[in-house]
Amino acid sequence: MIVKKILLVDDDRFILQLICRALVLKGFICFTANSVKEALEILVDHVPDIILSDYSMPEMNGFEFRKVILTDNKFKNIPFVFFTSFADEDLMQKGLDMQAIDYIDKNTPIALVVSKLNNILDTIRKQHEKSLFEIGAAAEALNLRSVPLESPAINGFKLNFLYQTYEHYPGGDFIDFIAIDENDTFVILGDVMGKKWGAWFFSFNFLSYIRSAIRLCVFDGNLSPASILNKINRIVCLDPVLGDVLSTLSLLRIDKTTSSVYYAGAGDLPIIFYQKSERITSTIQSNGLLLGIMEDGLYEEDVLKLATGDQLIIVSDGMIDFEESDGKKTDYNLWKMDYMKKTF
């Protein structure tokens, strides 16, 4: 079941409660505000899927509220519906001219109000799915990938990766494996800051650049992840386009001849290292800053000697974020603790 969030704004508390109760019965999560000021305060912590707002309210009316919404990139694309008791065509036209999706007359039966809001969201969702399909098909045709189809085979090592999109949006995660020769393979894992397809386009550009940078460094005899990371970061900082985009990066070199992994990280999460012989699970935290923060990213290198049965787990971002009363948190630590329990 798809959970739909709605912000209801009206100075009439009775109408608010009436509509809210009907929407909750249909699976909506409702945020209610008796004024535009209160609505803006709610928007600081909650981003609804749709906004239903009255025209006529004291202090700041619905049109002024809509103007504020349109100036904020975070909220301007939220479907906005006016809710009014005025049958004034000029007012209705003014609302539609402000890119409102629709208007609903307050004399409309509550059941029809709920159906209309549901239909608006369902239509938008279907359009998004169509757009995703078309863009995904174009990316597939052009062979644009920020995640490989499969991991390479390396004698003596077993490589697996898990990649899952959020609501079919690819996002900014990127993963790749670069085989330098029969003994050395680079593993690239990162996450471009951003949302949905915008982050994906930048992630593809980042990954293409990182691939080229690694190969150029290798051609010059440089196989050090920390040294390569420093060079990548300096150029990112100087690039007028890439410099405005922040990204994490985990860069590892697998040396088959010595069974060693050389690792350097930029703003990434700690690596989990399980040593089977000693039954010890530890974490390795890089000191490096996110790519693009400053020219000296403070990147250092760790050398991990792996024995038979040892495991390394690298995560591109904060796993699943969730909100509690004291703020936003990540379940990375919960997941790490669960993994550590399973290894003993």
Side-chain angles (χ1 to χ4, degrees):
M1 180 180 178
I2 299 175
V3 178
K4 303 170 184 177
K5 295 179 288 186
I6 185 168
L7 172 60
L8 305 172
V9 189
D10 199 311
D11 59 333
D12 189 324
R13 294 179 184 273
F14 176 74
I15 289 179
L16 276 184
Q17 293 304 316
L18 195 63
I19 297 175
C20 185
R21 287 178 184 176
L23 288 168
V24 168
L25 290 175
K26 293 296 182 179
F28 276 79
I29 295 175
C30 295
F31 304 103
T32 60
N34 297 121
S35 66
V36 172
K37 180 182 177 182
E38 189 176 340
L40 293 173
E41 290 172 352
I42 290 172
L43 288 172
V44 172
D45 298 313
H46 304 283
V47 179
D49 298 306
I50 191 168
I51 298 173
L52 180 67
S53 175
D54 188 15
Y55 277 153
S56 179
M57 291 181 286
E59 297 183 13
M60 186 180 288
N61 63 35
F63 293 122
E64 292 170 315
F65 179 37
R66 181 58 181 155
K67 287 180 182 178
V68 173
I69 293 294
L70 287 172
T71 61
D72 194 317
N73 290 330
K74 186 178 179 182
F75 308 123
K76 68 179 183 181
N77 293 320
I78 297 174
F80 194 102
V81 179
F82 280 111
F83 193 48
T84 179
S85 57
F86 296 108
D88 187 322
E89 290 187 5
D90 290 337
L91 284 177
M92 294 174 185
Q93 187 60 52
K94 183 177 179 181
L96 295 176
D97 288 344
M98 297 176 73
Q99 301 173 38
I101 293 291
D102 206 346
Y103 71 89
I104 298 177
D105 194 309
K106 284 189 177 181
N107 294 319
T108 304
I110 296 298
L112 291 181
V113 173
V114 173
S115 294
K116 196 161 190 176
L117 292 170
N118 255 322
N119 288 341
I120 290 171
L121 287 178
D122 286 343
T123 300
I124 292 171
R125 178 179 56 80
K126 288 175 182 177
Q127 184 59 47
H128 280 179
E129 289 176 352
K130 181 182 178 183
S131 298
L132 285 174
F133 176 80
E134 291 173 348
I135 296 175
E140 189 72 24
L142 294 171
N143 197 29
L144 302 179
R145 298 184 186 278
S146 55
V147 177
L149 293 175
E150 59 184 17
S151 53
I154 302 177
N155 189 28
F157 290 83
K158 183 179 180 181
L159 276 67
N160 292 312
F161 70 90
L162 173 65
Y163 173 72
Q164 187 170 342
T165 61
Y166 174 70
E167 295 183 354
H168 306 295
Y169 289 99
D173 300 293
F174 55 90
I175 302 170
D176 202 12
F177 306 92
I178 300 178
I180 302 304
D181 53 37
E182 61 180 14
N183 295 321
D184 290 291
T185 299
F186 277 90
V187 178
I188 304 166
L189 191 77
D191 182 25
V192 171
M193 308 294 136
K195 298 295 182 184
K196 300 180 179 178
W197 280 101
W200 178 83
F201 282 113
F202 274 112
S203 72
F204 179 75
N205 288 334
F206 252 82
L207 184 53
S208 298
Y209 169 71
I210 291 167
R211 283 193 191 107
S212 300
I214 290 174
R215 293 195 181 280
L216 286 172
C217 289
V218 169
F219 289 154
D220 289 337
N222 183 0
L223 294 175
S224 164
S227 176
I228 294 173
L229 199 47
N230 272 298
K231 291 183 178 180
I232 290 173
N233 179 67
R234 276 198 293 270
I235 296 178
V236 166
C237 284
L238 296 172
D239 190 289
V241 176
L242 294 179
D244 291 332
V245 183
L246 301 179
S247 173
T248 66
L249 179 62
S250 302
L251 187 57
L252 303 96
R253 179 185 133 228
I254 299 174
D255 183 349
K256 191 178 73 173
T257 59
T258 62
S259 296
S260 298
V261 173
Y262 297 80
Y263 159 69
D268 54 351
L269 289 167
I271 288 179
I272 296 176
F273 183 20
Y274 171 62
Q275 295 170 281
K276 184 179 180 180
S277 61
E278 300 180 31
R279 296 179 64 81
I280 295 174
T281 301
S282 57
T283 54
I284 299 153
Q285 175 69 67
S286 65
N287 295 321
L289 302 174
L290 288 170
L291 289 178
I293 292 288
M294 54 187 291
E295 284 193 44
D296 183 1
L298 308 175
Y299 306 116
E300 298 178 355
E301 193 162 306
D302 288 283
V303 183
L304 311 174
K305 183 76 174 179
L306 271 64
T308 302
D310 290 354
Q311 298 180 27
L312 285 180
I313 304 215
I314 307 104
V315 182
S316 70
D317 58 23
M319 304 295 287
I320 300 171
D321 291 323
F322 60 94
E323 287 191 8
E324 290 190 342
S325 57
D326 57 345
K328 192 172 183 180
K329 295 185 177 180
T330 175
D331 67 357
Y332 172 77
N333 289 328
L334 299 176
W335 174 81
K336 180 180 71 176
M337 290 172 62
D338 184 56
Y339 168 80
M340 292 171 74
K341 287 178 182 177
K342 290 179 180 177
T343 58
F344 288 96

